[in-house]
Amino acid sequence: KVGYKFCKINIFSYFFRNEKSQRNKSWKAIFMDMYSDLGRYIQYYATLKKAWDDLEKYLAQHCPRMIGSLKESVQEEDLDAVEAQIGCKLPDDYRCSFRIHNGQKLVVPGLMGSMALSNHYRSEDLLDIDTAAGGFQQRLGLKQCLPLTFCIHTGLSQYMALESVEGRNSYEIFYQCPVRDL
């Protein structure tokens, strides 16, 4: 059932995305190409693709300028290179999302939410994979943590722990909380 849903929802979008190279191929050959490219993500792709499509539809109606901030997808080789650079594996659902969109350009409002309270403003952008990799942390308190978002107003990020260290579970997402002396 999952394989069928993956095929049914996405073979046409895959065909149109790669239309020139697919023109003279049978549907079976197109499916084989798609599966060899994205099959690793079969349990995630349909759900994430629908979520991104729904988000784009919503943005088109309510915040069309934000659609222009979404970056094009990345290839497997790009994600593999990031894993080699940071020395940690990325979760497959996270990788799959980057195969659809590579985060967003740093703009306001950010895709991950904005708020204004009195004199405080926060707007979080979804980082592209290269920016996230550049912010990979090895320092105490954030060991093996990858930033997912960035607020240009506060400089704060949401992080994902890529390994179970410093009391965090693998793939746990959190905000860094500074420890203050009481």
Side-chain angles (χ1 to χ4, degrees):
K1 183 176 179 181
V2 171
Y4 175 73
K5 185 175 181 183
F6 176 77
C7 175
K8 179 181 169 189
I9 292 174
N10 299 299
I11 195 160
F12 294 109
S13 66
Y14 188 84
F15 174 80
F16 289 114
R17 188 177 71 190
N18 301 301
E19 187 176 350
K20 289 183 181 175
S21 64
Q22 305 292 350
R23 271 200 188 126
N24 298 320
K25 291 186 176 183
S26 69
W27 73 267
K28 184 178 179 181
I30 294 168
F31 177 79
M32 296 299 286
D33 287 348
M34 184 178 99
Y35 189 80
S36 69
D37 184 29
L38 298 168
R40 167 184 184 164
Y41 308 115
I42 198 164
Q43 69 187 65
Y44 307 110
Y45 188 84
T47 301
L48 289 171
K49 179 71 170 125
K50 181 175 182 336
W52 275 111
D53 289 347
D54 290 349
L55 178 62
E56 288 178 39
K57 184 178 177 181
Y58 176 85
L59 292 175
Q61 294 173 0
H62 302 284
C63 192
R65 71 184 180 135
M66 195 176 292
I67 290 178
S69 76
L70 298 178
K71 293 186 173 185
E72 293 295 319
S73 64
V74 296
Q75 299 301 309
E76 283 300 300
E77 300 78 31
D78 301 316
L79 297 168
D80 292 342
V82 165
E83 287 182 340
Q85 175 187 339
I86 65 176
C88 291
K89 292 286 184 195
L90 301 170
D92 277 348
D93 56 347
Y94 184 66
R95 287 177 64 106
C96 182
S97 185
F98 282 106
R99 294 301 314 274
I100 301 166
H101 279 294
N102 184 18
Q104 74 174 131
K105 299 171 189 162
L106 295 179
V107 297
V108 174
L111 185 62
M112 301 309 290
S114 295
M115 70 173 190
L117 298 170
S118 183
N119 63 350
H120 178 77
Y121 188 73
R122 188 166 189 138
S123 179
E124 291 200 42
D125 293 295
L126 181 62
L127 295 177
D128 64 71
I129 194 63
D130 290 325
T131 304
F136 181 71
Q137 299 293 313
Q138 294 284 10
R139 64 186 163 112
L140 186 63
L142 288 174
K143 285 188 178 182
Q144 308 305 93
C145 293
L146 187 73
L148 304 175
T149 66
F150 181 73
C151 175
I152 61 174
H153 302 285
T154 64
L156 297 176
S157 295
Q158 290 183 58
Y159 287 89
M160 177 172 32
L162 294 181
E163 294 182 2
S164 295
V165 294
E166 298 182 326
R168 293 187 185 90
N169 297 317
S170 290
Y171 310 137
E172 180 180 332
I173 296 173
F174 64 95
Y175 278 104
Q176 179 186 11
C177 296
V179 176
R180 296 185 182 145
D181 294 331
L182 299 176

